[in-house]
Amino acid sequence: MKRVTRLTAAGGLICGALMVTQAAMATEPTTSPPATRSAVLAASGTGNGLVTELGSERTAGTWIAEDGEPVVAVTDEKAAAEVEKAGARPKMVEFSGDDLRSATEALRSAPRVSGTSWAVDPASNEVVVRADSTVSKKDWSSLTDLAEEIGGSVRMERTEGAYTMRLNGAQPIFGTGGRCSIGFNVTDGENDFMLTAGHCGPAGSVWFSDNQGRQEIGRTTESNFPGGDFSLVQYLQDAPSNKTNVVSVGDGRGVRITSVGEAAVGQRVFRSGSTSGFRNGEVTGLDATVNYPEGTVSGLIETTVCAEPGDSGGPLFSEGVALGVTSGGNGDCEEGGTTFFQPLSEALDDLGVQLTGLPQSAARPTAAADGSSDDDSQGAAAPGTAEPGSLESIGAASDLLDRLADPRNVGPGLLVVAGSMVALAATRFIRTEQDRQAYRRQYSQTWS
């Protein structure tokens, strides 16, 4: 009994000390790791800077080559020389950025055809128009005639499947309209929100953490759909999980987000969703437009990443840099397909929020976060070698640490320490008294 008491008291002393230490650490201001210095995004920053500097009459976009070098499409020799001087690779093309923009405007002004999409592909110097299996022969013929009127800057393609919104953190949330995924935690400085897809539900939608509708976690306060595809869901109660900048990728793991950036054509990207889990692919186009049956969304990121119903709103990222949230697409994760993402920077600006857990300089796209760099290593890494970011364990262990780190546990921790010390002192006193009695008994027997 004495030994059990001693061991229990020692365990209590250790536990109480941990509670006090963790709680004391929680009172210190948290810091985030520095913004990711991505070679891929640095190359993208170089290319985008040149496109802005030279103008859309002399350039037609930029992308990242397989060797990691930035490539800029140019329309004249002088522009090519300036691109080379800046350390990027020029490629002479027929159509300028103005030409490609004019083509997209013509497509947008035509009668809307559900099941179609288009995106600018700077590498091929074309606007690629795709029509899914739901588009009739008559509508396809009309689109083809329109493309011929626009000219050689438009390429027509048929695609399998149907464009759908992936409704049905990448943790799941459940509403009356179906299931979606949490994208990123954001804040306006006073309240905590989750950012997800706009088509998941209009303002006022109620969300639950279980599909039985028992645990309400938040309500949609702002929604943008169609046009854009993003919304804010305000958490109903404060919780440590509301303030994390780690996105779930399954199996009790997560990726820590360190900054916000812009996607680049040719870049390897990663997505997480509550249905199909953790997936990766490549950015194939920017400023994409998709005509869903429910409405048209423009300004999207086009990728080869697969997605399935329930993945809507899930996060898109690469190398710890947050890029967007899942909108919709076609195909599935067995056969593959195309998935479109709402750019994150546009959503943050429109909603007036920033990512949770990041300093101001990293929570919004800046020169450091969007990939621009002052060094000469823009092409140091190929886009295909990009990794998702820093992986770490999340889940039950994380929740336990959050509870231990609560400053309110300082008092209980001190009580546990004090009680354990009293118990240890008591066992020591009992042992000393027992030794004294034993000595007296032995002494009496010896001199009896």
Side-chain angles (χ1 to χ4, degrees), residues 94-111 117-120 125-130 140-156:
E94 179 181 358
F95 303 106
S96 68
D98 286 343
D99 295 331
L100 299 179
R101 185 177 301 108
S102 177
T104 60
E105 290 174 354
L107 291 166
R108 191 173 292 114
S109 63
S117 71
W118 55 83
V120 175
N125 193 224
E126 295 170 317
V127 175
V128 183
V129 179
R130 295 185 175 91
W140 174 252
S141 177
S142 297
L143 284 171
T144 302
D145 291 342
L146 176 59
E148 291 177 354
E149 291 179 12
I150 296 173
S153 61
V154 176
R155 184 174 86 242
M156 303 290 292

Side-chain angles (χ1 to χ4, degrees), residues 36-73:
T36 300
R37 300 294 290 177
S38 163
V40 174
L41 293 179
S44 172
T46 299
N48 287 327
L50 286 166
V51 170
T52 301
E53 180 182 346
L54 295 172
S56 56
E57 292 183 2
R58 306 174 64 198
T59 63
T62 180
W63 66 97
I64 310 301
E66 292 184 358
D67 59 3
E69 292 290 340
V71 184
V72 179

